[in-house]
Amino acid sequence: SPAVTAVLVEGYMRQLREQINKVLTYPCIQATESNCEYKAAELEVEISVLQSGELQYVKVIRSSGLEVYDSYAVNAVRLAAPYPPVPPF
């Protein structure tokens, strides 16, 4: 049923986010030589995961406006792979 499928998809997506968040780090933007600054940033990435859980690709579809943050996010998605096998929906 559509409701069951939605719950399965939501659960799988939550697993992916948790796995990525475990390796995601926030880079320091050097404000001065001895001072780090962390910017508020939001971006959106698109990922494709094969049935086996292997990462097929990741790409930024909405940038944070800070290239270093975008790069860290893409790297986190790559480092978090492989993902759990995609359940049949």
Side-chain angles (χ1 to χ4, degrees), residues 9-45:
V9 170
E10 183 179 314
Y12 185 73
M13 295 302 292
R14 185 174 46 254
Q15 281 185 294
L16 297 187
R17 279 191 300 274
E18 288 171 0
Q19 199 162 321
I20 293 165
N21 283 333
K22 285 180 185 173
V23 298
L24 181 63
T25 58
Y26 292 91
C28 164
I29 306 297
Q30 204 71 34
T32 66
E33 193 172 310
S34 62
N35 188 22
C36 271
E37 188 177 334
Y38 295 94
K39 306 275 188 181
E42 199 172 292
L43 67 129
E44 192 172 337
V45 295

Side-chain angles (χ1 to χ4, degrees), residues 48-69:
S48 176
V49 177
L50 299 175
Q51 183 84 39
S52 66
E54 179 186 346
L55 178 67
Q56 188 173 23
Y57 71 84
V58 55
K59 67 180 178 179
V60 175
I61 57 173
R62 188 172 51 81
S63 174
S64 68
L66 297 165
E67 189 176 327
V68 67
Y69 278 33

